[in-house]
Amino acid sequence: MEIGGYAGNILHVDLTKNEVKKEPVAPELAKAFIGGLGFSVKLAYKHIKPGIEPLSPENTIIIGAGPLVGTIAPGSSRIYAVAKFPINNAIGWAGGGGMTFGTMLKNAGYDNVVIKGRASRPVYLKIFDDDVEICDAGELWGRGIEETSERLWAKFGWPAGIIAIGQAGENSVRFAMSFVDNASTLGRGGFGAVMGSKNLKAIIVKGTKGVRVSHPRKFMKLVDGLLQRVRQWEHLDEWHEFGFWIGLPLLPKEMFYQLNKRRLSCISCPIGDKDVVEIKKGKFKGLTKVTTTAINSVVPLLFGLPLEDSIKCITTLDDYGMDMFEFFSVVSFVNELYGHGMITGEYMQSKIAFDLESLEKWAGKIANREGFGDILAEGLPGIIDKFGKESQKFAPPMSKGLSVYSGPTGPLLWDRFGTMELTQLVNPRGAHVAAGGSPTYYATRPLEKFPTHLDRMGVPESATERILPQPHHWQWGLKFGLVSPEDKAGLNVGRLTRYSEDWLSVLGSLGVCARAQINRFYYANLLAELYSAATGIQIGREELMKAGERVWNLLKAANVREGFTRKDDSFSERWLEEKSQFVEYTGKVKISAEIADKFLDDYYEERGWDVERGIPTREKLLELGLEDAAEEVVRAVF
Amino acid sequence: MRTTAGRQAPERRSKLPGKIIEIETHPSRCVGCLLCQLICSFSYEKMFNPSKARIAIERGDDGFKISFTDECTLCGRCAQFCVYNALEAKR
Ligand code: SF4
Ligand code: SF4
Ligand code: SF4
């Protein structure tokens, strides 16, 4: 495919047969699915057969970088992986700031990599331009993510993009993650375990072919404008100084200096918010660690660990390649079960202490599946299976097998019910905040600012009316006696979530970072212009947003095929219970189960889906040109 | 604390008179974004290709090292695009 932006090839790797082959990207795929996340979803729909076991050779990993990845469009380095997740059997996506990976993949000549089968021994996949090789990873197996990445860089040099797993992935811990360049994370739902089940320790990619754009002048004019706005941004200096830390005003700036070492960036990003943190005093003085954000390294403070121990604890979890939210969830859960006498001395002799020594010991037991760690490694659903239905009521609030981590019960403490909260329920992959993150992350944003903001995200005007509080649209609030007709409260989070997801879908398919600090500079029209200039394929704002919608619908259809329906999107009672004190976006109305359910209704309705079942209708899928999916969804449900 | 003195809009910088005699580097500010390599390769090779850039960014144990190849024309475009002030064109 001789279109700008795209590398033009999909690389297929069969680890069982030890075979690699190249397939040209079909031009008709480009406009309909854009690339990156879109291509990955499309390929997953084709290659992941319904009903397969996630940790079997039949599961397929698809990794993609969109048409803007590798160009100089600011923050365009995002990569998206799709696979069937072992935590919940969902066809899940995992996105990460690509560091050097996406750019190198495109430079090597590939938009996507499709990996299936299982190698007969530990291997790593080496992709250096046309030289693609499945190499022996005996020397790397059993090592942590940092050491694995460093060894590969020592051997092959930098820049080279690396996706690696640690011991948790090797041993199929169902919440194992993969790390990109030892910095960004891929996959709360166990993407790392899928790599491990394939005996695939790492992927390393280097490329020298370059990425061209179809209309260089036009493209650079758009990029110049963008970079100028970035330079003029009043908060740029603060972001360069503090990184993501500044995005969470609750964190004291003084603490940042107690752990900051320096900053890292994904290729092409003018914000550069990846952190290198350092322990500056005590027993572990001098330990440095690369992290997707310094904020992660202070999460254990919530459980009472001192700062230095907190950094050390996260270093250990990251190195094993284990999702920290799930780690803390499973540990808290078994402690609660132990407290209620539901776990006996056969498994645990006492509660797991929340101190560094004990947490590191248990992290090791889980990563290596030793003793009771083997059960914890199955994640929340596995623990419930083991200790019976009765245990479920003590489980932390969860959605599709993963703990919901932004909300009044933490660990991302937040009492407002916004898109970030709702998407944790409706996201086909399970509890994850990113798809609802951009518009309402700073949920105290005044409502007056929303119209501009929604327009930026490509929301049509007609929908804006339904999303923003209109007294006459506030009927359900009135019905429940929660608001008076004059009350200006409310933001229809249900309807907004649809557009928030579509926006992520567009950004992800193009390859632009989804973090608010980058995507704030982009707007739907500009993205359409950038895509057109890069590829030479003319696209308008509506068509681009439609492609985003198409991608999300196909992802949902893939999950309906696996048996997911509205019941899987439901609220955990515990999440909404009295003490949790969730309040509606503007802080005026307390969220009840009825309101939450109404948000779900509105979400499905705004998507044009079957509200009762919570799945795409045949008409919607046909409207989006997804004929195969339309047929299969009907077959799966009726 | 990082100093941000000297950050200027790119169009203003390029209008400054005089020939660039040197590009001063401040490796401690470098974050590895490779914006410099992207713009350099684009300017001379008509494609975004870090491996064809005339500025080299190397990853060391404790940060990045910056150097230039013999082909560097001192055009200063990399410095214009380095948002982190790790490159400064001297006239
Ligand atoms: S904002 Fe952070 S994650 Fe996103 S591209 Fe920039 S450095 Fe990467
Ligand atoms: S010199 Fe500047 S533009 Fe180049 S990699 Fe370093 S920070 Fe980025
Ligand atoms: S001064 Fe010009 S030629 Fe030299 S490295 Fe920078 S952009 Fe390339």
Side-chain angles (χ1 to χ4, degrees):
Chain A
M1 191 169 72
E2 291 285 332
I3 309 173
Y6 297 95
N9 296 295
I10 295 164
L11 179 68
H12 290 268
V13 179
D14 187 326
L15 293 171
T16 306
K17 295 186 183 151
N18 205 22
E19 258 174 29
V20 294
K21 65 171 196 272
K22 253 194 207 185
E23 175 200 2
V25 172
E28 60 278 10
L29 204 65
K31 203 171 181 176
F33 292 92
I34 308 297
L37 174 66
F39 280 10
S40 290
V41 167
K42 173 77 175 156
L43 289 161
Y45 195 87
K46 180 175 170 190
H47 291 281
I48 304 175
K49 299 286 169 245
I52 58 140
E53 157 53 38
L55 297 174
S56 74
E58 285 73 46
N59 198 359
T60 305
I61 289 172
I62 300 114
I63 300 167
L68 295 183
V69 178
T71 74
I72 199 167
S76 58
S77 66
R78 196 96 174 153
I79 56 167
Y80 280 86
V82 176
K84 188 165 180 176
F85 282 178
I87 195 80
N88 53 14
N89 287 321
I91 308 299
W93 58 272
M99 299 300 286
T100 65
F101 193 95
T103 301
M104 287 294 113
L105 184 68
K106 293 287 294 290
N107 272 271
Y110 311 98
D111 299 291
N112 290 74
V113 191
V114 180
I115 305 167
K116 64 174 182 188
R118 172 184 289 154
S120 56
R121 62 191 199 291
V123 296
Y124 68 92
L125 175 65
K126 188 179 114 201
I127 307 170
F128 290 0
D129 290 336
D130 296 326
D131 170 20
V132 181
E133 210 186 319
I134 299 166
C135 309
D136 188 89
E139 278 291 296
L140 299 173
W141 203 255
R143 297 187 194 276
I145 286 174
E146 178 167 335
E147 195 184 347
T148 301
S149 311
E150 289 300 342
R151 279 178 176 241
L152 288 169
W153 278 321
K155 186 162 176 178
F156 298 111
W158 183 95
I162 295 173
I163 296 180
I165 58 167
Q167 296 88 338
E170 292 175 6
N171 297 314
S172 296
V173 173
R174 287 182 192 263
F175 47 93
M177 299 196 290
S178 306
F179 276 64
V180 187
D181 285 7
N182 188 34
S184 302
T185 57
L186 282 183
R188 261 167 61 68
F191 183 76
V194 179
M195 278 181 70
S197 73
K198 299 190 170 312
N199 267 327
L200 181 60
K201 179 69 179 170
I203 305 168
I204 178 164
V205 55
K206 265 178 110 149
T208 59
K209 296 186 180 186
V211 175
R212 293 175 188 273
V213 290
S214 291
H215 303 293
R217 238 172 235 276
K218 170 83 190 169
F219 188 79
M220 281 316 291
K221 204 172 158 218
L222 296 167
V223 168
D224 278 339
L226 261 160
L227 278 173
Q228 201 165 322
R229 283 173 43 232
V230 172
R231 283 174 188 274
Q232 285 162 357
W233 187 32
E234 54 184 331
H235 299 297
L236 183 65
D237 289 349
E238 275 177 309
W239 274 90
H240 281 174
E241 180 76 17
F242 295 103
F244 219 147
W245 199 268
I246 205 79
L248 229 61
L250 165 146
L251 291 167
K253 286 184 180 170
E254 304 74 55
M255 188 188 283
F256 179 75
Y257 292 114
Q258 290 167 22
L259 50 76
N260 168 50
K261 187 165 172 69
R262 60 190 174 91
R263 174 122 319 106
L264 287 176
S265 175
C266 299
I267 292 187
S268 83
C269 184
I271 302 295
D273 60 6
K274 304 286 181 196
D275 289 287
V276 182
V277 297
E278 183 183 16
I279 298 181
K280 299 191 179 172
K281 63 177 192 322
K283 202 161 127 199
F284 308 107
K285 189 175 170 192
L287 181 142
T288 60
K289 144 156 201 57
V290 178
T291 169
T292 192
T293 157
I295 297 172
N296 283 4
S297 54
V298 297
V299 166
L301 293 183
L302 289 173
F303 304 105
L305 269 70
L307 180 66
E308 288 72 27
D309 289 3
S310 173
I311 300 171
K312 178 70 168 51
C313 178
I314 293 298
T315 304
T316 303
L317 293 176
D318 280 2
D319 214 36
Y320 284 136
M322 200 183 299
D323 180 84
M324 63 166 171
F325 292 128
E326 291 317 289
F327 171 76
F328 287 117
S329 290
V330 295
V331 169
S332 306
F333 184 28
V334 295
N335 271 354
E336 204 161 330
L337 291 180
Y338 182 83
H340 286 91
M342 297 186 67
I343 294 183
T344 53
E346 180 192 347
Y347 300 105
M348 289 164 80
Q349 283 73 47
S350 62
K351 282 192 178 181
I352 296 174
F354 275 76
D355 60 51
L356 180 64
E357 198 190 329
S358 140
L359 290 172
E360 284 193 314
K361 181 180 92 187
W362 279 94
K365 280 160 101 68
I366 295 172
N368 295 307
R369 285 185 171 268
E370 286 161 10
F372 189 41
D374 188 33
I375 290 164
L376 271 64
E378 292 295 299
L380 297 172
I383 298 170
I384 293 169
D385 265 3
K386 175 80 191 168
F387 296 103
K389 261 215 131 353
E390 264 300 285
S391 65
Q392 184 145 14
K393 65 171 183 282
F394 301 109
M398 56 198 263
S399 169
K400 302 185 186 78
L402 286 165
S403 58
V404 291
Y405 55 106
S406 164
T409 47
L412 274 189
L413 283 177
W414 190 240
D415 67 343
R416 302 292 170 94
F417 195 85
T419 50
M420 213 163 78
E421 286 63 44
L422 189 66
T423 194
Q424 290 182 97
L425 303 180
V426 295
N427 197 324
R429 68 179 280 189
H432 194 266
V433 297
S438 155
T440 54
Y441 194 86
Y442 308 101
T444 42
R445 185 198 299 269
L447 288 178
E448 300 81 79
K449 299 228 162 142
F450 266 79
T452 334
H453 182 57
L454 296 181
D455 182 54
R456 183 178 82 76
M457 286 166 53
V459 179
E461 243 176 81
S462 55
T464 302
E465 262 185 38
R466 292 190 293 273
I467 292 164
L468 287 172
Q470 316 274 330
H472 58 285
H473 283 141
W474 197 236
Q475 276 158 4
W476 54 270
L478 287 172
K479 194 175 134 202
F480 293 113
L482 293 163
V483 286
S484 65
E486 299 75 42
D487 207 323
K488 294 273 270 177
L491 173 82
N492 196 316
V493 164
R495 297 193 186 278
L496 178 53
T497 298
R498 178 221 142 146
Y499 296 100
S500 181
E501 289 172 346
D502 286 356
W503 179 237
L504 176 109
S505 183
V506 166
L507 292 168
S509 299
L510 288 165
V512 175
C513 179
R515 285 190 173 177
Q517 50 273 32
I518 268 295
N519 100 56
R520 69 186 310 288
F521 297 104
Y522 285 91
Y523 40 98
N525 302 38
L526 174 65
L527 285 174
E529 282 187 75
L530 271 169
Y531 177 81
S532 305
T535 63
I537 303 171
Q538 286 304 314
I539 203 166
R541 162 187 160 123
E542 277 77 32
E543 224 179 334
L544 182 66
M545 295 314 297
K546 197 92 200 158
E549 187 190 0
R550 181 176 299 115
V551 170
W552 207 263
N553 272 265
L554 188 61
L555 176 69
K556 184 68 187 181
N559 281 286
V560 174
R561 214 164 56 160
E562 299 287 348
F564 287 87
T565 61
R566 178 165 179 155
K567 68 174 184 335
D568 302 291
D569 297 348
S570 61
F571 287 79
S572 126
E573 272 168 41
R574 194 164 176 186
W575 207 30
L576 288 173
E577 78 194 9
E578 211 59 40
K579 70 168 190 218
S580 78
Q581 293 185 342
F582 245 139
V583 286
E584 171 277 340
Y585 185 83
T586 54
K588 295 197 180 161
V589 180
K590 212 166 138 10
I591 297 284
S592 64
E594 284 101 327
I595 297 181
D597 233 36
K598 177 70 175 114
F599 277 150
L600 279 180
D601 285 352
D602 287 347
Y603 168 79
Y604 302 126
E605 192 180 283
E606 197 63 36
R607 280 230 164 270
W609 290 358
D610 177 333
V611 173
E612 211 176 298
R613 292 189 179 85
I615 61 170
T617 59
R618 186 166 175 274
E619 293 69 34
K620 177 46 98 180
L621 294 171
L622 289 177
E623 175 206 311
L624 293 167
L626 300 168
E627 282 81 11
D628 293 357
E631 255 182 53
E632 288 198 83
V633 163
V634 170
R635 228 182 298 141
V637 178
F638 297 100
Chain B
M1 202 189 253
R2 173 179 294 130
T3 162
T4 50
R7 172 176 287 135
Q8 290 169 328
E11 77 281 18
R12 278 193 50 205
R13 206 185 283 205
S14 58
K15 277 182 198 150
L16 287 173
K19 195 175 171 328
I20 295 171
I21 48 164
E22 189 202 346
I23 295 177
E24 201 175 280
T25 66
H26 306 279
S28 66
R29 296 176 190 164
C30 177
V31 295
C33 70
L34 305 192
L35 280 163
C36 52
Q37 294 194 336
L38 291 169
I39 195 60
C40 180
S41 57
F42 187 71
S43 307
Y44 295 94
E45 312 288 338
K46 304 272 169 285
M47 59 174 153
F48 301 106
N49 188 339
S51 73
K52 298 276 190 306
R54 299 162 185 212
I55 175 169
I57 305 292
E58 276 172 273
R59 179 180 175 276
D61 285 342
D62 203 13
F64 295 95
K65 290 192 198 113
I66 308 172
S67 59
F68 297 87
T69 70
D70 293 344
E71 284 83 50
C72 170
T73 63
L74 284 178
C75 70
R77 295 213 79 196
C78 52
Q80 278 175 27
F81 276 76
C82 178
V83 185
Y84 299 90
N85 295 324
L87 305 172
E88 223 179 305
K90 295 270 170 189
R91 291 168 202 269

